[in-house]
Amino acid sequence: MTAIDQYAVFGHPINHSKSPRIHGLFAEQTGQRLQYRAADVPAELFRSAVETFFADGGKGLNCTVPLKELAWQFADRLGDRALLAKAVNTLARQTDGRILGDNTDGVGLLNDLTINHRIPLRASRILVLGAGGATRGIVAPLLEQAPAQLVIANRTLEKAEAIADEFADLGELHACGYADLNSRFDVILNATSASLGGDLPPLADDILADGGCCYDLAYANQPTAFVNWGLRHGASLSLDGLGMLVEQAAEAFYLWRGVRPDTCPVIDLLNRERTVPPLRND
């Protein structure tokens, strides 16, 4: 019998991951024969764990916090999206044995925002909270949408300024501290993980424009602190990142298998399995 192709997600912690469920649903939907597992891999063991995985015949890996920058360093080749982000969430073994690194986070976010929820980004005023690896993965795709304004706000201003400087050739991008935010925004994206622990940046009450949307890149079965913040401040739509998770997984699945799964039924199923439905004000 032919061996089943092996895939996995590495992260630390990883017990909460829905990726095995998502890729299992993709495989069932598309008739692909594969196995996908989650493994708790701390940063100091990352290189040896990845080397062992691929040496044992593994076909592809997803890498999540805190491993995306390490995956970027590990890859033999980097796709254009990974080159820009300097972070990799998808590793794929090529036919020549080399390991390709790519970043599917940005396209995952855009597909969820613009296709699944029809949130307009072109000519919109967009605020990104945080200046870590998650922000690096989404800045270039956001700039490609030609927003009227794109601002990165962070507690440590220098980190936000570093990203703004690095991506300046792709479009107009500003950096500031939270206390210096003096505009209203149509879309606010939380790219920190703080709200999962109930913490939020110090945001002014009037920073969200009328009819604006809030989106937390993190996800949980219960509404995150940022999702609740958006609802309290009149967001027309306040979402977490479950849809982004499924969409970025679909892009990785396509890179690995050459087949693009239908994400909508998977997102709908995962939402039904949560303890509460997605929250909105309309």
Side-chain angles (χ1 to χ4, degrees), residues 110 114 119-124 126 139-148:
L110 289 189
T114 64
I119 297 172
L121 299 180
R122 188 172 301 277
S124 294
I126 302 173
V139 166
L142 289 173
L143 287 172
E144 290 173 358
Q145 297 296 303

Side-chain angles (χ1 to χ4, degrees), residues 248-277:
Q248 65 80 26
E251 185 72 10
F253 193 90
Y254 177 73
L255 288 171
W256 292 331
R257 309 298 295 185
V259 178
R260 193 174 295 280
D262 184 359
T263 57
C264 289
V266 175
I267 294 172
D268 289 344
L269 176 60
L270 294 179
N271 273 323
R272 290 197 302 271
E273 291 175 349
R274 299 213 271 193
T275 54
V276 292

Side-chain angles (χ1 to χ4, degrees), residues 119-127 145-150 185-187:
I119 297 172
L121 299 180
R122 188 172 301 277
S124 294
R125 298 162 296 175
I126 302 173
L127 170 64
Q145 297 296 303
Q149 184 182 25
L150 180 58
F185 295 92
D186 304 302
V187 179

Side-chain angles (χ1 to χ4, degrees), residues 203-217:
L203 300 174
D205 289 337
D206 61 352
I207 200 169
L208 182 65
D210 294 340
C213 301
C214 290
Y215 192 100
D216 197 335
L217 273 64

